[in-house]
Amino acid sequence: IKPGLPEQDLSTRQKFHRQAKLRRAQKQIEKITAEDASAFAYDDVYDEMKKQQAKNKQARQMEKIIRKPRYIPRLKKKADTRNKRQDAAYERRLLREREATDYLFEGKEKFVTRAYKQKLIEQKYQESLDEIQE
């Protein structure tokens, strides 16, 4: 409160300033809406933003479902080669045992299936590849 002014005049001035501020604010609002009609459409923008976020989230989830594994095929391939090497070592051990007891079945026929012959060929091929790699 300024000295020398009656209190009634002060409130009238405050009312006048308040009305002037409101008029300026109203002019600014009209000017902004003239430039961009959706400037004060916060709810619409927010809803649209949330829809876009939901769509992006769903796309990421679908990508996780569809995405191919990066390491599993290589791990499976390595496990397969390791199993083949173990099988080959096992077969060599059985062959040594058979040769040790071969004198018992000296006069008898030996039967070998096509699948076993194919397996032996694959083992020899794998061994040659291993030697080349080393």
Side-chain angles (χ1 to χ4, degrees), residues 42 62 86:
Y42 300 119
M62 289 301 293
Q86 288 174 351

Side-chain angles (χ1 to χ4, degrees), residues 82-96:
R82 187 173 54 246
N83 288 339
K84 285 181 182 179
R85 287 180 182 166
Q86 288 174 351
D87 286 344
Y90 179 72
E91 289 293 328
R92 285 193 301 271
R93 190 173 76 225
L94 285 180
L95 183 62
R96 281 195 301 268

Side-chain angles (χ1 to χ4, degrees), residues 17-29:
H17 284 298
R18 217 177 270 146
Q19 288 174 355
K21 282 183 182 180
L22 286 173
R23 275 188 250 122
R24 277 183 277 170
Q26 191 64 33
K27 284 181 183 179
Q28 281 184 330
I29 291 172

Side-chain angles (χ1 to χ4, degrees), residues 70-82:
R70 297 184 343 196
Y71 305 110
I72 300 298
R74 281 187 272 161
L75 288 174
K76 285 184 177 180
K77 188 174 180 182
K78 289 286 186 181
D80 188 39
T81 57
R82 187 173 54 246

Side-chain angles (χ1 to χ4, degrees), residues 9 16 34 36 38-39 44 50 52 54 63 74 88 96 124:
D9 289 340
F16 177 75
D36 185 12
S38 65
D44 295 338
K50 284 297 180 180
Q52 186 64 31
E63 181 181 311
R74 281 187 272 161
R96 281 195 301 268
K124 287 181 184 178

Side-chain angles (χ1 to χ4, degrees), residues 14 17 19 34 40 60 66 81 116 134:
Q14 286 177 342
H17 284 298
Q19 288 174 355
F40 296 106
R60 284 192 305 268
I66 296 172
T81 57
Y116 184 69
E134 292 174 0

